[in-house]
Amino acid sequence: MNQHTRLDTTPIPFIDVAAQRRRLGTAVDDAIARVLAHCQFVMGPEVQALEKDLAAFCGARHAISCASGTDALLLVLMARGVGRGDAVFCPAFTFCATAEVVALLGATPVFVDIEEATFNLDVASLKRAIPVAKQKGLTAKAVIPVDLFGLPADHDAVAAVAKAEGLFVLDDAAQGFGATYKGRKLGTLAPATATSFFPAKPLGCFGDGGAVMTDDDSLAEILRSLRVHGQGTDRYDNVRIGTTGRLDTMQAAVLIEKLKIFEDEIAARNEAARRYNEALADVATVPQLPEGYTSVWAQYTIRLQPGRRDQLAAALKAQGIPTAIYYPRPLHKLAAYTGFPLSEGGVPVSEKLADEVISLPMHAYFDAPTQDRIIGAVKRSLAG
Ligand SMILES: Cc1ncc(COP(=O)(O)O)c(C=O)c1O
């Protein structure tokens, strides 16, 4: 860099929600105004319309919306009767909600390691975890593969182990909804798939929201009951213990409009990831898509030698460029989760990657100069 060149330090957003608002124009505002006019704030007509759209989008028979991604996971485990004495296998490297719902129901999360190349569940580690659970007297009940950072887990490999061991598979697609695995969209790759519409997710609403996708008619019916206090024929006929787990009509209205541009946004995210990969492969370990997979790039996460990321984060921050660490600690290192069992051999890859990962700004609305500014700053810092 020429010493007379002034670096641009204008703040760059990590996710450009404002650019998306501009792209949507008045569509979302109009959709919210329609809800304000009809006043059916809970289970209004937009909720059913969204569920139809979500099911059609991913090719699932049912989409059942709910209050958050955490509720989506929880409701499925409740529907399956998961509870005390049951083991549910979860990756150690994920957001806490994946294991939180298991523990909330009194069941035991058993932590499984991940693959270094994909950040997703390592099936060999899953196989080693099953005897650990059994030795502790637990019933091996379910597995929750996570499609971390937007990349699908190896669903065929997970399904094979699940079939052999009688495990129910709940796909945690909170970060991956919209991605594909061997030509099929997430939402159809497991008996149940949970997703989140938290605003920072690839398909986010303007608050909290989530959904479960399934082809199973009886599971869908139970989920629809559980999200309204276990209702039966009507809301004062409570046939099971449930909760308030509904998606607000207002959020459904927002999501209907956002879903219309989601495929376009996924394409733009992929282009941004391609540009990052091309530019950064020589200075960092960049994410790779296995053959037959697509990602929605919930995060663009690179890996650096341990110790280098703090320096990079500080250099970028000084130039107005935010970064994030997903996740600084694997779950078994968090106070609330230290007591739960690990797969045989531990989870060394999760521990290693937690020290190496750093995520760069990622969204569908980069202009080339903005992304080039980020790329230039990363390269200067890592080359220096
Ligand atoms: C992998 C994963 N699972 C579950 C969740 C929970 O979703 P929510 O925040 O909507 O409850 C999240 C969201 O942060 C997530 O990233």
Side-chain angles (χ1 to χ4, degrees):
M1 181 187 45
N2 182 316
Q3 61 178 337
H4 299 298
T5 310
R6 267 261 171 100
L7 278 178
D8 183 359
T9 57
T10 317
I12 289 175
F14 195 71
I15 297 171
D16 200 342
V17 184
Q20 189 194 48
R21 290 274 293 134
R22 286 194 295 278
R23 154 101 193 254
L24 286 162
T26 62
V28 170
D29 307 57
D30 295 347
I32 291 174
R34 286 193 292 273
V35 178
L36 292 176
H38 69 51
C39 293
Q40 294 179 60
F41 301 121
V42 174
M43 298 307 281
E46 284 81 356
V47 172
Q48 254 197 3
L50 171 70
E51 291 178 342
K52 230 173 118 216
D53 290 354
L54 287 171
F57 174 82
C58 70
R61 216 167 131 75
H62 303 278
I64 300 96
S65 61
C66 58
S68 68
T70 305
D71 269 4
L73 294 166
L74 183 67
L75 291 168
V76 173
L77 296 185
M78 286 169 77
R80 296 290 303 179
V82 169
R84 202 158 298 282
D86 293 334
V88 177
F89 303 93
C90 312
F93 194 67
T94 175
F95 182 62
C96 68
T98 311
E100 183 180 42
V101 291
V102 178
L104 259 177
L105 293 174
T108 303
V110 178
F111 293 121
V112 172
D113 212 359
I114 56 163
E115 296 173 346
E116 186 156 345
T118 63
F119 301 105
N120 281 331
L121 197 83
D122 176 356
V123 168
S125 176
L126 171 63
K127 285 183 188 159
R128 291 195 300 273
I130 294 166
V132 171
K134 289 181 179 167
Q135 277 153 24
K136 291 187 180 298
L138 300 168
T139 306
K141 196 78 175 248
V143 55
I144 310 184
V146 177
D147 308 299
L148 204 74
F149 304 151
L151 179 71
D154 187 349
H155 286 284
D156 282 350
V158 173
V161 177
K163 190 168 176 213
E165 298 287 343
L167 300 175
F168 181 80
V169 185
L170 166 55
D171 180 16
D172 182 346
Q175 301 182 13
F177 188 65
T180 63
Y181 174 84
K182 301 184 182 175
R184 288 163 62 195
K185 278 214 169 78
L186 295 184
T188 62
L189 290 154
T193 301
T195 195
S196 164
F197 302 127
F198 183 76
K201 297 290 188 258
L203 178 63
C205 57
F206 290 167
D208 281 308
V212 180
M213 271 60 64
T214 183
D215 287 344
D216 180 334
D217 296 349
S218 78
L219 177 64
E221 192 186 322
I222 296 171
L223 293 169
R224 290 197 176 98
S225 160
L226 284 171
R227 72 177 170 184
V228 193
H229 302 287
Q231 74 173 11
T233 48
D234 65 59
R235 102 172 77 141
Y236 299 112
D237 173 37
N238 307 100
V239 296
R240 52 178 65 82
I241 302 295
T243 183
T244 305
R246 301 166 293 232
L247 181 73
D248 292 350
T249 310
M250 205 93 84
Q251 299 302 345
V254 170
L255 284 162
I256 288 171
E257 298 309 316
K258 288 215 194 185
L259 190 56
K260 291 179 188 164
I261 61 165
F262 190 39
E263 287 287 12
D264 253 25
E265 292 187 328
I266 292 171
R269 284 173 173 276
N270 273 280
E271 175 57 11
R274 191 198 60 73
R275 290 186 91 242
Y276 268 145
N277 267 16
E278 198 175 284
L280 299 178
D282 58 342
V283 291
T285 305
V286 296
Q288 298 297 341
L289 290 180
E291 183 77 30
Y293 292 56
T294 66
S295 175
V296 289
W297 301 101
Q299 303 299 337
Y300 181 82
T301 303
I302 58 173
R303 288 169 48 204
L304 302 173
Q305 291 299 318
R308 296 210 68 191
R309 69 179 176 194
D310 289 350
Q311 201 186 332
L312 175 65
L316 295 188
K317 190 174 175 201
Q319 295 170 60
I321 302 167
T323 56
I325 310 286
Y326 302 111
Y327 296 92
R329 281 185 285 170
L331 294 188
H332 67 292
K333 297 266 171 109
L334 299 174
Y337 297 91
T338 49
F340 296 118
L342 303 180
S343 177
E344 184 68 46
V347 291
V349 180
S350 301
E351 288 170 3
K352 174 174 135 95
L353 296 192
D355 286 338
E356 297 182 2
V357 288
I358 181 164
S359 302
L360 302 178
M362 169 51 83
H363 53 80
Y365 296 93
F366 277 128
D367 53 42
T370 304
Q371 196 180 9
D372 288 344
R373 224 184 95 196
I374 300 168
I375 289 168
V378 173
K379 289 186 90 114
R380 277 193 303 278
S381 170
L382 293 178

